[in-house]
Each structure stands twice: as C-alpha cells, then as structure tokens.
Amino acid sequence: MVRKRKKQSPIALFVEGSWVVSALTALLLLIVIFIIVPSINNAFLSAINQPIQLFVLIIAIALLALAIYKLYQQARAAYLAKKYPLNQETESPFARTTMSEFVERPTSWSLKVIQDIEWKRFEDLSMGYYLEKGILAKATSLGADGGIDIKLYQNGPDNATSLVQCKSWNNKLVGVKAIREFLGVLTHEKVAKGFFMTSGDFTAEAKKTAKANKLNLINGEMFLTMILRLPEVSQQKLLALAVAGDYKTPTCSRCGIKMVEKDSKRGHFWGCPNYPKCRQRLAIRKA
C-alpha cells in the first residue's frame, strides 16, 4: 500500500527546495514591496506598506542567505565529486543502473519496495541515499567488512565522519548484540557518529542501548520517510536503482554475483554458483 505524502509546510518548501526558489521569492518580495506598491497611487496601500517594509526586508534577507548557503552546498558537493571521483573500488551504485531497466516494476515508493530488495541492493540504496543528499559516501569491499558497510565523509575523503551498518532483515528484529558490536566498531575506528539501518525494525533493548549511546537507528519505516523527503528527481533515481534488474535474488557476499536456488535434505536455500569453490549460502526469505 502506497503511503500518501504529507503536504509540505511553506518553511519546509524553502529549506528542502532549490536555492533558486528562495532567491526568486526574496527578489519578488523586494520588487513588490519597494517598487510596485509605492508606485500605486493609493492611500490605503501606502499606509499599510510602510510598516511592513522592515518585516519583509528581514524575510527577504533570510531567504537570500538560505539561497546562498544552499548554492554553496551544491557547489561544494560538485567540487568534491570532481576532485575525488569514485574509482572502481568505490563505484557509485548508479553506475550499474539505467532508467531503461525500469520496466514492469513498482512505480512509487513503499515500505514493501524497501523490504523486497535483497541485502546488497539495500546497501546500494542506502549509499545512493547519502549520495543524493550531497554527502561523499564510500562502500566497503565485499566479504568481511568489519561491521562497516558505508563510510561517510563530510569534510573531505581523508577521515570518515560517520559509519553506516546495514541489515536487510524483515522477519527478524535487530537485537542488542548487533548494536553493541557496532558500537565497538565505532570505538575502534574512533568515529563518534554511526547509523544503523535496517529494512525491518529493532528490539526494545536494542533501541534503549542505542539511545544511551547516541547511536542513530533507522528502521524501514523511517528510511521510507527519509526517501520521500528528497526531491522528486532523487526519489525516482533511487527507485530505479532499487528495482533494476533482479533486485530480489540475493548476492553472494564473497563473490559479488547472484546466488541460485538449491535443494537439500533440509529444504530450499540460496547457494553460490561457484560452489564448491565458494560455499556461501543464505536462507530463503519467507513470504
């Protein structure tokens, strides 16, 4: 079921919108109050215009300051992307996706989309979200990641400012053990800020421990809300990324290729096509 988006407040429209909106609004206010209204020969308009000029001027200055700040952020993100291009090791997930693959698939965001995608696609989606926010993000390599899936760099590529752990768990709540392990990773890496993202949810004890240690928890519902707050273009890019190709079959964490469904005496499971060289396996999600 598709959620209805909440209407944005006027303030949210300027804060989350383009710098152009803020700049044009400020310019329009100044023209109307200081040029158009004074030129109209009307005693009533002249009487009410003078008292509100200072108020409008303050609003216009605030909007112009917001526009300059957003333009600076946009320019800085473009500068970082050009100066520190993603190499083959830290390739953007968008490079593996084209809009032409977006055929006969979900056409709007929902919690089901987030929970349908396999674990690697969930990591790609999470990384794609931060890239769309203008944050330099790098994924760790396949295999043992040391409890880190994504590193965020908000002050250049030298030192990570935040670490992200992703768990595509729908039928299983993320427990306190996983939270404590991630807190240990943050301490070891000497990074103060961490985000633990899951397509499902967390246990009460996990939430309590995270709150006590100022760890940011993002469940499936919250992640959906975060995506829906992005500009429409970014939402569509992320949706195309999420549901491109075979987005449900899990990826082998060691080989980076799609797994295949296999049978055993214990039932069906996902196995790596490179068996017996690779013996990675995953349980098949229950509907």
Side-chain angles (χ1 to χ4, degrees):
M1 181 177 179
V2 179
R3 283 187 163 194
K4 291 184 179 179
R5 295 183 61 185
K6 294 181 180 179
K7 292 184 179 180
Q8 284 186 315
S9 66
I11 295 178
L13 180 64
F14 290 115
V15 172
E16 299 178 11
S18 169
W19 67 270
V20 179
V21 176
S22 300
L24 289 179
T25 303
L27 182 62
L28 181 61
L29 285 173
L30 293 174
I31 291 174
V32 170
I33 297 300
F34 290 94
I35 298 178
I36 295 179
V37 174
S39 67
I40 300 174
N41 187 17
N42 185 290
F44 175 74
L45 287 178
S46 298
I48 65 171
N49 186 52
Q50 190 171 1
I52 66 172
Q53 282 184 346
L54 179 60
F55 177 69
V56 172
L57 180 62
I58 293 174
I59 294 178
I61 292 175
L63 288 174
L64 286 173
L66 178 62
I68 293 172
Y69 175 70
K70 293 179 77 66
L71 184 60
Y72 163 75
Q73 282 190 318
Q74 183 177 317
R76 185 173 180 275
Y79 167 76
L80 287 174
K82 184 177 180 180
K83 186 175 182 180
Y84 309 109
L86 295 173
N87 55 33
Q88 199 170 30
E89 182 181 356
T90 58
E91 174 194 38
S92 167
F94 292 123
R96 304 190 293 276
T97 310
T98 61
M99 290 298 289
S100 62
E101 295 178 89
F102 187 53
V103 180
E104 296 295 323
R105 301 174 188 277
T107 56
S108 60
W109 275 106
S110 68
L111 181 60
K112 187 176 186 302
V113 172
I114 292 177
Q115 295 185 338
D116 276 349
I117 59 180
E118 52 103 9
W119 72 268
K120 184 63 176 67
R121 193 64 60 89
F122 181 72
E123 289 185 7
D124 286 348
L125 174 62
S126 300
M127 180 176 171
Y129 169 81
Y130 291 108
L131 291 173
E132 285 301 298
K133 290 287 289 184
I135 300 172
L136 184 63
K138 297 182 181 181
T140 57
S141 58
L142 289 171
D145 55 22
I148 307 169
D149 294 314
I150 303 168
K151 294 183 177 181
L152 305 181
Y153 302 80
Q154 292 179 282
N155 299 317
D158 296 327
N159 295 300
T161 52
S162 304
L163 303 181
V164 183
Q165 175 71 291
C166 302
K167 293 290 185 187
S168 182
W169 291 358
N170 301 333
N171 302 319
K172 178 183 176 183
L173 297 176
V174 177
V176 68
K177 180 182 178 182
I179 299 300
R180 287 171 178 164
E181 289 176 351
F182 188 47
L183 288 171
V185 171
L186 290 170
T187 301
H188 180 266
E189 295 290 325
K190 297 180 181 179
V191 176
K193 197 169 186 179
F195 297 90
F196 202 118
M197 306 179 67
T198 179
S199 55
D201 207 346
F202 303 87
T203 64
E205 189 178 0
K207 293 177 181 178
K208 182 179 179 181
T209 302
K211 184 177 181 180
N213 291 275
K214 297 182 180 180
L215 177 65
N216 300 280
L217 299 186
I218 302 173
N219 61 15
E221 292 271 359
M222 188 181 298
F223 192 21
L224 174 62
T225 301
M226 290 161 58
I227 292 173
L228 292 178
R229 286 176 178 169
L230 292 172
E232 189 66 29
V233 173
S234 295
Q235 291 184 41
Q236 291 302 315
K237 284 177 66 178
L238 290 176
L239 185 61
L241 165 67
V243 299
D246 184 358
Y247 63 95
K248 294 185 178 182
T249 301
T251 302
C252 175
S253 60
R254 181 174 297 171
C255 303
I257 58 177
K258 289 294 182 180
M259 306 181 90
V260 294
E261 188 173 347
K262 296 185 176 182
D263 292 320
S264 70
K265 294 180 180 179
R266 297 180 180 178
H268 299 293
F269 67 93
W270 294 112
C272 181
N274 289 334
Y275 179 87
K277 183 179 179 180
C278 177
R279 297 178 178 271
Q280 293 289 94
R281 61 164 62 192
L282 286 173
I284 294 178
R285 286 178 176 177
K286 296 180 181 179

